[in-house]
Amino acid sequence: MTFLRSSSAALEVPSFQTLMDVIDGDAPSSHPMDADPGGCLSYREAPDGSVTMGTDRLTGQVVLIVQNGDDSWEIALPPKISRFASSDNQPSLLAAKRVAEAAFDAYRASAR
């Protein structure tokens, strides 16, 4: 997975390494898993549009959705969540978001 941005563009989201550190880290323990059963991801985009970062508001865990060419998207999920998602490239950002949200939903269901 790659991350590219123009050196002149202001980076409004954490650096790529910071995001990867968040993915590899443990979820904060202050958020109970079943506090909001319909929890969905909250998305932000990098200024150049190459990376979409979704944050699960219950656990604080992060998903990265990276554009790979003009018509496919790759998903990087936290290790605990990735086993619940397909590893295939998705044909659109919307499809990638659906895969990520379904993986988080499946993870939540398994943790109950």
Side-chain angles (χ1 to χ4, degrees):
M1 180 169 58
T2 60
F3 175 74
L4 301 172
R5 72 177 179 91
S6 167
S7 60
S8 63
L11 186 61
E12 296 173 1
V13 295
S15 72
F16 183 71
Q17 185 58 50
T18 301
L19 294 175
M20 294 309 293
D21 291 344
V22 170
I23 284 177
D24 291 336
D26 289 331
S29 59
S30 62
H31 301 285
M33 289 297 265
D34 53 359
D36 181 7
C40 62
L41 301 176
S42 172
Y43 294 99
R44 294 188 295 170
E45 287 190 355
D48 65 357
S50 64
V51 176
T52 298
M53 181 179 95
T55 306
D56 180 62
R57 59 191 158 109
L58 297 178
T59 64
Q61 292 190 324
V62 173
V63 57
L64 296 180
I65 303 174
V66 180
Q67 186 172 7
N68 182 15
D70 291 335
D71 44 272
S72 68
W73 298 78
E74 294 181 352
I75 304 169
L77 291 165
K80 293 176 185 176
I81 311 253
S82 62
R83 64 189 171 112
F84 295 99
S86 108
S87 59
D88 298 334
N89 287 352
Q90 299 301 313
S92 69
L93 178 59
L94 181 60
K97 286 180 178 181
R98 286 182 184 147
V99 168
E101 290 178 6
F104 273 88
D105 289 344
Y107 170 72
R108 278 191 213 97
S110 75
R112 292 183 186 188

